[in-house]
Amino acid sequence: MEYALRGGAPPTLREIHRFSSQLNLECDINHRAAYLGDVRGDPMALRFEFLAMIRRTGVTRALAYALDIPEESVTTGFEVGRHPLPDDPDLIAEAATSYHNAHPLALNEVLRVRLQLVEGGKSLLFCKLNHLSTDARDAAELFAGIRGYFGRRTAMSSGGFSETPEYHRRFDDLPRADLDAVEKALGEVATPGIRGIPLIAGARTRQFALRDGLTFDEVLASVARALAPWAGSQVVLHYPYTHRTFRAAPGPFVEIKPLIVDVAALESDGPPGLRRRRQVLESSGRFDASELTGFNAELKRRRVPRVIVSDTTLFRPEGTEWQWVPTRSARTYDDLKFYVDRTPGHGLARVQYKEGFLGSGVLEDVVARVQAGIGCASGSDRRP
């Protein structure tokens, strides 16, 4: 069954819906995480209590609002694997990744949880959450609650998403940007020295530890400098942004903002120059990059690579009760994407890139340049 969004849904939500329903990129859109730890009790015996607890958080109601369907039409998946996995970190990670890519969420499925016993007594806990009803901050809180429930039988808090419809109404009331003025402020798009791949393709992933104390603008500058030797006179980046008054709001209120980085100016202005450029865009009113029709037409015509830099969380747990298990997306729309988790003490960057983009040698050089700019010194990687 096909599910449309409610009327008047914001552009970013429409893009999430399009990527999930039309482009078959659910594996690269929805929040997911996997963990290894001890589960108290028989998981199947906890199933109905767990599902009722999820409903009490209000997240099913939030998805029902986004899709304009009855809450009873929203589903939650819960599975328990039959056969134990070998106690091998690589095999455990591969099992979580394979499950993630082979079992997409339906549009009306708010959450999928799978528990799989691992030889030695621990269990693999896999969680996937619908981006149409949650942002990364929401997902981090829900995943922490799920770990607490299965690990310590701690009840999750109720009603966290009860105000989501009201926040959507407030978001709709934000002043809209003048899109023509935004495109003018962005400036002309130059022909890039490296071309993007205008097709969905297989994805590859790498990661490295970050040094502490980084600003987001230092991250953006490092990515732009790393691409500069091949990009030409400018580097076009995109990044997610949430308006300040919605950063604690339950629901997906993120917008994608474009940023043209002039390579020559970057050397003289540095990260503060990028910050000033971002402030102009972010203060111009509510808009998403998908609405900039003229700008996007130029990006497409010139085959400008789609490079995303996301200041986000990788959903790693606090303490030692649960061990984070990295997972990978099988397919991607973006040529190059940096997920940057700047958690103090154990920052981590996940680099995801499209197969065939730049070529392996150049890509390795780009990642090495970014790592040299914002990563830890060799041998000082911290826990993932």
Side-chain angles (χ1 to χ4, degrees):
M1 181 176 180
E2 294 186 2
Y3 293 92
L5 285 174
R6 65 175 176 86
T12 308
L13 211 60
R14 296 200 297 268
E15 283 294 280
I16 294 171
H17 183 272
R18 182 174 73 91
F19 272 58
S20 295
S21 63
Q22 298 176 27
L23 301 184
N24 192 27
L25 280 172
E26 180 275 348
C27 66
D28 202 30
I29 291 296
N30 289 321
H31 314 295
R32 90 277 181 173
Y35 308 97
L36 185 67
D38 293 312
V39 172
R40 290 183 58 186
D42 177 5
M44 285 306 296
L46 304 175
R47 179 175 183 269
F48 292 106
E49 180 181 73
F50 172 72
L51 295 179
M53 186 172 60
I54 291 297
R55 187 166 290 266
R56 286 196 297 271
T57 68
V59 70
T60 53
R61 194 178 314 121
L63 182 59
Y65 177 78
L67 295 175
D68 198 20
I69 59 175
E71 187 177 0
E72 294 72 24
S73 299
V74 175
T75 66
T76 304
F78 184 91
E79 297 181 35
V80 177
R82 295 182 178 182
H83 306 292
L85 294 169
D87 187 12
D88 178 287
D90 292 337
L91 294 178
I92 291 170
E94 191 57 42
T97 290
S98 296
Y99 182 83
H100 158 57
N101 288 299
H103 294 82
L105 288 183
L107 280 175
N108 68 320
E109 186 177 13
V110 72
L111 173 71
R112 172 84 57 84
V113 170
R114 177 181 172 85
L115 286 158
Q116 179 101 33
L117 190 64
V118 175
E119 292 174 354
K122 292 187 180 295
S123 293
L124 173 64
L125 168 63
F126 176 81
C127 314
K128 188 187 292 192
L129 192 59
N130 199 316
H131 197 1
L132 287 171
S133 57
T134 57
D135 68 5
R137 185 192 60 83
D138 301 323
E141 292 182 2
L142 283 168
F143 291 165
I146 292 169
R147 294 193 306 270
Y149 176 75
F150 286 111
R152 298 187 302 274
R153 298 297 307 282
T154 303
M156 298 174 65
S157 59
S158 300
F161 292 83
S162 59
E163 296 183 49
T164 294
E166 175 59 27
Y167 274 110
H168 273 286
R169 285 188 282 272
R170 294 184 198 175
F171 188 77
D172 292 342
D173 290 338
L174 284 177
R176 296 296 309 275
D178 180 331
L179 299 182
D180 290 336
V182 170
E183 293 199 0
K184 184 177 180 180
L186 282 169
E188 296 292 326
V189 177
T191 299
I194 48 176
R195 301 297 180 94
I197 300 174
L199 300 169
I200 295 168
R204 300 291 184 186
T205 304
R206 290 186 54 183
Q207 66 184 40
F208 59 84
L210 296 172
R211 59 179 170 86
D212 283 339
L214 288 168
T215 67
F216 184 52
D217 295 291
E218 287 175 321
V219 174
L220 291 169
S222 183
V223 172
R225 287 190 183 108
L227 287 166
W230 300 276
S233 62
Q234 65 180 211
V235 177
V236 179
L237 305 177
H238 287 79
Y239 65 95
Y241 170 76
T242 303
H243 293 273
R244 186 175 300 278
T245 54
F246 286 84
R247 288 175 189 171
F253 299 105
V254 67
E255 295 174 330
I256 302 300
K257 303 295 188 187
L259 185 67
I260 293 182
V261 181
D262 182 271
V263 171
L266 179 62
E267 293 311 309
S268 58
D269 298 343
L274 296 183
R275 178 59 184 161
R276 290 190 293 270
R277 295 271 294 170
R278 290 203 301 122
Q279 286 174 332
V280 170
L281 290 169
E282 293 162 10
S283 63
S284 62
R286 177 165 64 91
F287 80 92
D288 182 78
S290 62
E291 299 178 277
L292 303 175
T293 53
F295 178 74
N296 290 324
E298 280 298 290
L299 295 182
K300 183 177 180 180
R301 185 175 72 85
R302 298 176 186 273
R303 285 185 55 185
V304 176
R306 184 173 169 86
V307 181
I308 309 291
V309 185
S310 179
D311 192 21
T312 187
T313 171
L314 296 176
F315 310 117
R316 292 171 297 161
E318 298 284 343
T320 58
E321 184 180 5
W322 291 90
Q323 176 186 343
W324 181 68
V325 177
T327 57
R328 307 183 308 279
S329 296
R331 303 166 72 244
T332 184
Y333 175 76
D334 307 308
D335 293 294
L336 181 61
K337 185 184 292 185
F338 291 85
Y339 299 92
V340 180
D341 182 341
R342 295 184 291 144
T343 302
H346 55 278
L348 188 69
R350 173 191 286 157
V351 185
Q352 179 178 292
Y353 53 94
K354 189 177 290 182
E355 290 178 345
F357 177 59
L358 292 180
S360 59
V362 173
L363 197 285
E364 291 287 328
D365 198 0
V366 168
V367 174
R369 286 169 177 265
V370 176
Q371 186 170 358
I374 62 176
C376 289
S378 179
S380 61
D381 285 10
R382 287 158 287 190
R383 72 174 181 84

